[in-house]
Structure formats: C-alpha cells, structure tokens
Amino acid sequence: MSPDNLVADTAARMFAELADAQSILISGRDDWKAPLWSALEEVGLPLAWVSDAAGGGGASLEEGFAVILEAGRSALAAPLVETLLAGWLLAQADLTPPPGPLSVAPSRPGDVLLADSEGRISGRAQGVPFAREVEHLAVVASGPDGPVVALVRTADCRLELAENLAGDARDTVVFEHVQPAESGVFGVTGADVQLSLLMLGATARGLQISGALDKILRISVQYSQERVAFGKSISKFQAIQHNLARLAGEVAAATAASGSAAEAVATTGFAGDAMLLEVAASKIRTGEAAELGARIAHQVHGAIGFTEEHILHRFTLRMLSWRDDFGNDTFWSLKLGERIAGKGADELWPLMASR
C-alpha cells in the first residue's frame, strides 16, 4: 500500500483529533462517536468501497485497506471497518447502502442464514460486530436459488447482547422470518459469497492487528525511555532491549503478512488457492503476533500497563479480540490444510513458490 495515501492520511488525522485513545479514557464516555462519524461521512470514508453513483466514495480496495490499517493504529471502537465491509457486500449485489453505520452477518464461520422462497431470512449469527449500534445489517443468506445478499433492519431482528475482551459489542443476531429492506444476487457468478466475505473481513482484521501492534511498539519504546529505574531509563537494560527487539520482529512479520494479503486481494480478488494462502497466512500470523506482542508490551510496562487509565490495554485487548472475528486461527489453519491436502503433495511447492 502506498505510504502517501491521501485517503489514509485524512483518516489518520480524523482519528487523532476525534478518537484519541487517551482522551477517550479520560472522559470515560462514548460521546466522541457521533462527531467522528459525522466527520467520516462528510468525506465519504464509511462507504469508500461504494461507487460514486451509489452515493459512496469510489475508492479502491487498496485505499480502503490503508484506512483500515490506520483504524487499527487508533484502536478504533466504532463500526467504520464493518461499514466498509457492508458497503462492499451490498455494492456487489447492486444494492445502495443507507446512510449511517452498518455491520455484516454472518461474521463467523459455521453460522448459516437461510432465505425462504419469499426472501424472508431466518437463522442466528453470532459475534456480529457492533450490531446494537447500527440500524442496518448487510447479510449473506442461502436461498432456494443460491446465495442472497440482503439489507436488513436491525430493529426487525432479536439481539442477544455480548461483548468481546475489549468491551466492544459482539452481539448474536437472531433472524426470525425477517423481511429484508432490499435483496439481490452477488455479482460474481459461482463465487462462494460467504467465504468471500470472510476473506475480506479476515484481511481487514489482519491489517487492524498490524496497525495496533505498530502502535504498541511505539508506546512501549517511548515508555522504556521515560521510565527510570536504578538511576537510568529502563531502555538501557538488556532484557528490555531484547523484549523490544522481539516486539519489533512481531510487528514486522504481521505487517508483511497482512500487507501481502491486502495487496493480493486488491489486485486479484478472492478466487484461487493462492488467495486462500495469502488470507489464511495473514490471519494466522497476525493472530500469533497479537498474542506475543501483547505479552511483551505488558511486560515492558509492568503493572502500569494493566491499569484502566493507561492506553495500552485499549490496543492489546482489541487486537486480541480481532483474532476471533471472520474466522479464528484454527479455522483458517484447517481451511488451508484441507485445501493443500486435497491438492496433493505435488501441488504444494508450486503454490508456495508462487507467493
């Protein structure tokens, strides 16, 4: 992704001004969300992946991925990424997204929604990000004639409230013969619509984790230079230097894996074994980096990193939670293993060498 992405720079400035982690912690309120959303909508970021003709920003996947990376660096606790995903999904079915924040369902493998002959949707979708905070959901359902993409009013569904580790909404949405506001057919004939959504969501979460890792590295380095013990900053101690070097290594690995997946998806799409390898590798590797990176960062900070008033946990808890969205490490490991095993040993090296 281009480092001089003007769209990403705009997003980063907005996050810094309107969603600063320290300011949010000090206030202890959520009243920052409405001004942020108004500012984001004013420049067209939430629907960046929707065409100009349909009321969106007309941005490329690459530009949207750069925004998502910045959202990770800010540990953004608002449904911007989910709205991007929902806008993309609706656009694939020539449906016009409504204004306001959106989310997508199903967002976890194994959850299946069914559409009957009249288009009414039934089923359960677990862990839907920010479901209680949005008025509409973009939904993938299996219909009598194939996959259906639908726009559903959240008020027409029943919510079972739940939260992730960071306290962000991950509600179960129960669909009981819900009549969509609109519905359509996914634009790519023969595509596995739900898998495509999972792959795009997994790519997005990998970028968010990478962004959060980059931020906690900066926070940890700064803290180590400011914290004094035994007459000198702790950054002078070999153990701290070793830990920070390990953290930097995890950041580099996650950035490489997530960036490669994003570039592949932006240029090629979701079809083929190579794309599955890219997305699965990103989700698996960034998940591993999130676990180890959180552990190292908290070790560097000591007890202060666990307190409510310190911003570190705002990043570490979210990146640990993002591992479970759109397929966890186990799901993508099994998915990749099944595909490789099905192709046979002779196909493994050409696949690896192609990337």
Side-chain angles (χ1 to χ4, degrees):
M1 285 173 289
S2 173
D4 57 349
N5 190 322
L6 294 178
V7 178
D9 290 344
T10 300
R13 286 195 299 271
M14 287 185 172
F15 299 152
E17 294 172 6
L18 300 172
D20 173 64
Q22 191 65 65
S23 300
I24 291 171
L25 282 180
I26 292 171
S27 71
R29 300 189 304 270
D30 286 337
D31 53 5
W32 58 273
K33 292 187 178 182
L36 172 66
W37 198 261
S38 296
L40 291 173
E41 285 196 320
E42 187 174 342
V43 296
L45 285 183
L47 298 179
W49 283 339
V50 177
S51 68
D52 294 330
S60 66
L61 283 175
E62 182 182 26
E63 290 172 316
F65 284 144
V67 171
I68 290 171
L69 182 64
E70 293 300 332
R73 286 197 179 105
S74 299
L76 190 66
L80 173 61
V81 175
E82 291 73 19
T83 303
L84 281 166
L85 296 174
W88 171 86
L89 179 61
L90 293 171
Q92 304 309 303
D94 291 325
L95 301 177
T96 301
L102 307 168
S103 192
V104 291
S107 57
R108 292 191 177 179
D111 291 347
V112 177
L113 303 178
L114 301 175
D116 62 21
S117 58
E118 297 181 4
R120 296 174 301 187
I121 297 174
S122 299
R124 292 169 60 90
Q126 303 179 77
V128 176
F130 301 104
R132 74 187 74 164
E133 299 183 24
V134 304
E135 294 186 5
H136 293 87
L137 301 168
V139 169
V140 175
S142 299
D145 300 319
V148 173
V149 176
L151 178 67
V152 174
R153 287 178 289 268
T154 310
D156 293 339
C157 307
R158 179 164 56 86
L159 300 185
E160 297 175 359
L161 304 186
E163 297 178 345
N164 63 14
L165 284 173
D168 297 330
R170 289 296 186 271
D171 306 319
T172 293
V173 182
V174 181
F175 300 80
E176 297 171 335
H177 303 290
V178 174
Q179 187 66 50
E182 291 185 89
S183 61
V185 178
F186 195 72
V188 182
T189 304
D192 187 330
V193 184
Q194 187 165 349
L195 181 59
S196 296
L197 175 60
L198 287 175
M199 291 177 73
L200 184 59
T203 303
R205 287 296 191 253
L207 289 167
Q208 286 177 274
I209 290 172
S210 297
L213 280 165
D214 180 61
K215 182 66 174 182
I216 69 168
L217 174 60
R218 299 183 192 187
I219 294 171
S220 299
V221 170
Q222 181 178 352
Y223 177 78
S224 73
Q225 294 170 341
E226 296 172 350
R227 177 74 168 90
V228 175
F230 304 106
K232 59 182 179 180
S233 68
I234 64 172
S235 64
K236 303 295 185 182
F237 292 98
Q238 188 174 19
I240 298 295
Q241 294 173 350
H242 177 67
N243 270 346
L244 290 174
R246 290 173 61 211
L247 178 54
E250 293 302 314
V251 174
T255 300
S258 62
S260 180
E263 182 179 3
V265 169
T267 56
T268 308
F270 305 102
D273 296 334
M275 291 305 100
L276 179 62
L277 172 61
E278 291 280 2
V279 173
S282 170
K283 197 62 161 61
I284 294 165
R285 188 62 185 89
T286 57
E288 293 174 350
E291 181 179 2
L292 184 55
R295 185 189 314 160
I296 294 172
H298 281 287
Q299 286 174 343
V300 170
H301 281 78
I304 190 64
F306 290 93
T307 60
E308 280 294 322
E309 62 267 23
H310 200 282
I311 63 172
L312 181 62
H313 67 84
R314 187 169 180 84
F315 294 88
T316 56
L317 289 178
R318 280 188 174 80
M319 69 184 191
L320 289 172
S321 300
W322 289 331
R323 296 179 305 168
D324 293 329
D325 296 335
F326 303 102
N328 59 22
D329 301 0
T330 301
F331 168 79
W332 287 109
S333 296
L334 290 172
K335 195 76 176 176
L336 184 58
E338 290 170 358
R339 185 69 64 88
I340 290 174
K343 292 289 185 177
D346 292 341
E347 296 293 328
L348 178 58
W349 177 247
L351 174 63
M352 298 294 292
S354 70
R355 309 315 302 164

